[in-house]
Amino acid sequence: MADAEYMKYKDPKQPINTRIKDLMNRMTLEEKIGQMTQIDRTVASNEVMKKYYIGSVLSGGGSVPAKQASAETWINMVNDFQKGSLSTRLGIPMIYGIDAVHGHNNVYKATIFPHNVGLGATRDPVLVKKIGVATALEVRATGIPYVFAPCIAVCRDPRWGRCYESYSEDHKIVQAMTELIPGLQGDIPSNSPKGVPFVAGKQKVAACAKHFLGDGGTTEGINENNTVISRHGLLSIHMPAYYNSIIQGVATVMISYSSWNGVKMHANRDLITGYLKNTMRFRGFVISDWEGIDRITSPPHANYTYSILTGITAGIDMIMVPSNYTEFIDGLTSLVKNNFIPMSRIDDAVKRILRVKFVMGLFENPLADYSMTKYLGAQEHRELAREAVRKSLVLLKNDESADNPLLPLPKKASKILVAGSHADNIGNQCGGWTIEWQGLSGNITAGTTILTAIKNTVDPKTEVVYIEKPDAAYVKSEKFSYAIVVVGEPPYAETFGDSLNLTIPEPGPSTIKNVCGAIRCVVVLITGRPVMIQPYVDTITALVAAWLPGTEGQGVADVLFGDYGFTGKLSHTWFKTVDQLPMNVGDKHYDPLYPFGFGLTTKPTKVT
């Protein structure tokens, strides 16, 4: 008969706070510390979940159950871990998290949307919200209920390797784009108290505002480095988008690897507990970054007991310990038993984690639903991504003389040249955080390359010649009507993308010189940020910033050939030389190549 005992926490009709209280009263210290632990799927198993009461599992960038795994394969894995959690004494479900930062980007055949740098150029929060809705469906298609997105960093220096994850250097644009959150989580009910997390059921996912705080303001844009700024500057530039996120009911906040004036954010009790939890009244849970507490010490993991003590005391509720979770669990248990960490701090963390799990209905629907698999890479999501590409393109130059613009390009031409390393390469046009953490060159997932899109768009009689690296003599000798050169940065993520010179690698520059020196050309730049382009501008007839457009390259051709007009505006200042950096709109010495907000427009043409 004991099994039939009524448990309030299992009753969805009870108020959430009643359920939390009832469950907390039943939990041992071991079960509470398990909830605070997030491990990578590579070390997770049904048995591990059960034995250690693990609260959460994640896929790090590129951590997948199998290469080109199907949605069903993902669901089977997630459900297997979940069954381990459900077989524990209290049956508390685990929450599975993944980096879905521009669509469900780890997963083969998912729709890959433009990275945030491009979405910022659309100035279209309604579009970004729709992308949130689509991303939530694709993530749920693989059985996952939690995403580490959006990145609401304000990138103040394009030398930063994560600049493409930032909507803008201007916090107002970043604030507007937090509309992604109600897209992912659902619209918060009008009577909902501010700061309380909200997730609207099985077709939505819990979101994560990141990285708290100042990640986009580090010296020289060096990733994970020190942001030197006054408290007023920190709160007026880097904090505002967190107000919006919290008002929209964001479920979680991730802490930044970076420091503020020499203090590691993972150790900053004043900002995490004092400001985020107490002043802003955030009621979701705070999560560390990957091995984030390890990096409180230099070198990382030098004094792990100190790292645990400092991180937990600062107010971090869930710790991302991808592999060495027993060391974390043992260390935290010992700190609590020896009164270095009060039980009240543990209870605060666990309440927050349980609140998110109750709010999102994880107790009622812990297992993934196979009927959702149809949403992965759905055609309507690809159409939405194509629209996002069109709206994100920024036209920087369209010939010197207004009476002779090159764009929009005529579809009817006898012969056109397409050149460049990025013209026929899905991986290059998606950038980092795609299939693998650092991204990959090549045709790594389903999509449309820019070359294919051009061929789809021109008149059937137009001959399209593709040569990746043509020489100048060849370009001159053939009678091309015009050329399209698609070049840019290779894929990268995080620190690997930090660049102090921001040059486009070869053969990009020589392709521009060889082609544009010989013939009228449009250069389409595929980059995660403004790059060094000034030396080539004079030889280029027309110049388009296409950012990292993702899988739907057709959106680029739609605008190049005039089916739609150019409407995008720069959300990041385009510098002349790197010596000017950092340089942001409003600075005294503002002297850009193309200013913040710049973008030429064209009218759609129906004439070929």
Side-chain angles (χ1 to χ4, degrees):
M1 284 306 287
D3 292 348
E5 181 202 349
Y6 170 68
M7 299 190 184
K8 275 187 181 167
Y9 79 89
K10 290 191 170 176
D11 181 357
K13 293 190 186 71
Q14 290 288 345
I16 282 177
N17 286 340
T18 307
R19 298 177 76 184
I20 294 171
K21 195 174 172 186
D22 179 63
L23 180 49
M24 294 279 296
N25 286 340
R26 299 169 189 272
M27 289 172 80
T28 62
L29 177 62
E30 199 182 356
E31 286 163 330
K32 287 176 178 176
I33 287 174
Q35 285 301 303
M36 296 170 69
T37 311
Q38 184 184 60
I39 66 176
D40 188 72
R41 53 159 290 284
T42 47
V43 296
S45 68
N46 183 299
E47 293 71 38
V48 166
M49 302 307 290
K50 195 158 140 186
K51 182 175 175 186
Y52 295 99
Y53 311 103
I54 299 292
S56 182
V57 180
L58 86 148
S59 276
S63 180
V64 298
K67 254 195 177 349
Q68 303 190 355
S70 67
E72 288 80 5
T73 303
W74 279 94
I75 290 181
N76 292 340
M77 173 191 71
V78 174
N79 280 352
D80 181 53
F81 298 152
Q82 189 65 284
K83 284 168 186 164
S85 296
L86 298 177
S87 69
T88 55
R89 183 178 75 91
L90 295 167
I92 304 172
M94 66 89 188
I95 181 171
Y96 196 105
I98 196 164
D99 282 283
V101 296
H102 61 144
H104 198 7
N105 49 257
N106 280 283
V107 176
Y108 184 62
K109 288 191 172 168
T111 309
I112 307 296
F113 292 92
H115 267 298
N116 291 355
V117 63
L119 298 181
T122 68
R123 300 293 200 278
D124 190 344
V126 176
L127 172 74
V128 167
K129 183 176 181 179
K130 286 181 190 161
I131 289 172
V133 172
T135 301
L137 289 171
E138 298 212 13
V139 171
R140 282 287 194 170
T142 57
I144 296 171
Y146 177 29
V147 299
F148 307 125
C151 175
I152 53 173
V154 182
C155 173
R156 305 290 285 175
D157 193 323
R159 292 174 290 189
W160 186 36
R162 302 192 83 149
C163 202
Y164 65 74
E165 296 185 58
S166 167
Y167 294 109
S168 181
E169 72 187 48
D170 177 6
H171 69 81
K172 291 190 204 71
I173 292 175
V174 180
Q175 286 180 273
M177 296 309 178
T178 59
E179 277 301 309
L180 187 82
I181 294 166
L184 291 166
Q185 297 192 154
D187 286 309
I188 194 158
S190 54
N191 60 350
S192 182
K194 296 283 178 275
V196 175
F198 176 75
V199 184
K202 290 194 283 190
Q203 300 208 325
K204 296 295 178 184
V205 294
C208 178
K210 69 184 191 184
H211 308 85
F212 188 86
L213 184 67
D215 49 346
T218 59
T219 304
E220 294 185 339
I222 296 167
N223 192 40
E224 304 182 19
N225 209 341
N226 191 20
T227 298
V228 180
I229 193 170
S230 68
R231 188 177 180 92
H232 173 74
L234 188 77
L235 297 186
S236 58
I237 294 170
H238 298 283
M239 188 69 87
Y242 285 91
Y243 300 125
N244 298 69
S245 303
I246 288 163
I247 287 166
Q248 284 158 329
V250 76
T252 71
V253 170
M254 187 184 287
I255 303 303
S256 178
Y257 285 131
S258 58
S259 304
W260 172 46
N261 295 341
V263 178
K264 294 268 188 187
M265 279 306 311
H266 276 75
N268 197 317
R269 188 167 188 274
D270 166 45
L271 283 173
I272 299 171
T273 299
Y275 207 87
L276 180 63
K277 289 183 173 181
N278 296 345
T279 304
M280 294 211 279
R281 300 190 61 75
F282 171 60
R283 291 287 172 264
F285 69 79
V286 174
I287 187 167
S288 82
D289 207 332
W290 178 279
E291 292 177 349
I293 64 166
D294 302 50
R295 305 197 199 181
I296 288 172
T297 59
S298 184
H301 208 82
N303 182 344
Y304 198 52
T305 306
Y306 172 79
S307 288
I308 297 170
L309 176 63
T310 309
I312 298 290
T313 304
I316 305 174
D317 303 311
M318 185 181 279
I319 307 289
M320 201 185 283
V321 267
S323 41
N324 209 345
Y325 56 91
T326 53
E327 184 189 14
F328 168 73
I329 289 169
D330 294 347
L332 180 53
T333 306
S334 157
L335 285 164
V336 175
K337 285 187 169 163
N338 292 303
N339 299 320
F340 288 100
I341 294 176
M343 208 53 218
S344 58
R345 174 71 271 271
I346 300 298
D347 287 346
D348 170 57
V350 178
K351 265 180 205 152
R352 289 164 175 277
I353 292 163
L354 294 177
R355 182 177 293 123
V356 170
K357 291 182 177 186
F358 280 123
V359 158
M360 60 195 292
L362 212 49
F363 281 78
E364 287 66 59
N365 295 296
L367 294 171
D369 176 356
Y370 289 91
S371 72
M372 298 275 294
T373 55
K374 62 177 187 247
Y375 291 113
L376 187 69
Q379 190 51 42
E380 54 269 38
H381 298 167
R382 294 190 180 277
E383 290 302 323
L384 177 65
R386 179 175 169 181
E387 178 192 348
V389 174
R390 292 197 292 259
K391 289 179 172 174
S392 67
L393 302 176
V394 181
L395 180 57
L396 297 174
K397 181 181 177 184
N398 195 10
D399 207 356
E400 295 309 329
S401 53
D403 54 356
N404 194 19
L406 179 58
L407 298 176
L409 298 167
K411 291 180 186 177
K412 281 188 172 154
S414 55
K415 187 161 72 167
I416 65 174
L417 173 66
V418 180
S421 50
H422 289 53
D424 195 26
N425 194 309
I426 290 279
N428 283 359
Q429 73 190 40
C430 289
W433 289 112
T434 310
I435 303 300
E436 292 192 4
W437 174 41
Q438 290 294 324
L440 290 163
S441 240
N443 292 330
I444 56 172
T445 190
T448 305
T449 69
I450 293 167
L451 175 65
T452 303
I454 292 166
K455 290 176 172 173
N456 290 344
T457 308
V458 294
D459 187 88
K461 295 192 187 71
T462 300
E463 187 188 347
V464 178
V465 178
Y466 171 58
I467 300 174
E468 194 176 321
K469 298 181 280 192
D471 63 55
Y474 168 80
V475 180
K476 283 185 181 127
S477 68
E478 301 289 316
K479 291 196 165 62
F480 292 114
S481 307
Y482 56 82
I484 302 169
V485 177
V486 192
V487 291
E489 297 185 293
Y492 56 79
E494 298 189 48
T495 307
F496 294 91
D498 287 357
S499 167
L500 290 176
N501 59 28
L502 291 175
T503 49
I504 305 167
E506 284 291 352
S510 51
T511 307
I512 293 174
K513 213 161 28 198
N514 291 347
V515 179
C516 301
I519 183 179
R520 291 188 86 195
C521 75
V522 52
V523 171
V524 179
L525 286 177
I526 306 294
T527 66
R529 53 199 164 187
V531 291
M532 195 56 205
I533 194 72
Q534 193 190 26
Y536 321 113
V537 171
D538 288 347
T539 48
I540 295 169
T541 322
L543 179 61
V544 176
W547 314 111
L548 297 168
T551 49
E552 306 313 303
Q554 190 63 49
V556 176
D558 286 344
V559 183
L560 287 181
F561 291 97
D563 292 334
Y564 294 83
F566 279 93
T567 55
K569 303 288 178 209
L570 289 181
S571 59
H572 295 263
T573 295
W574 207 294
F575 58 89
K576 290 177 179 169
T577 68
V578 286
D579 306 338
Q580 297 174 295
L581 300 176
M583 174 176 63
N584 298 105
V585 63
D587 289 357
K588 276 197 189 74
H589 307 293
Y590 194 66
D591 179 29
L593 182 63
Y594 300 109
F596 173 87
F598 181 79
L600 303 171
T601 54
T602 58
K603 292 272 187 287
T605 96
K606 287 294 166 225
V607 198
T608 45

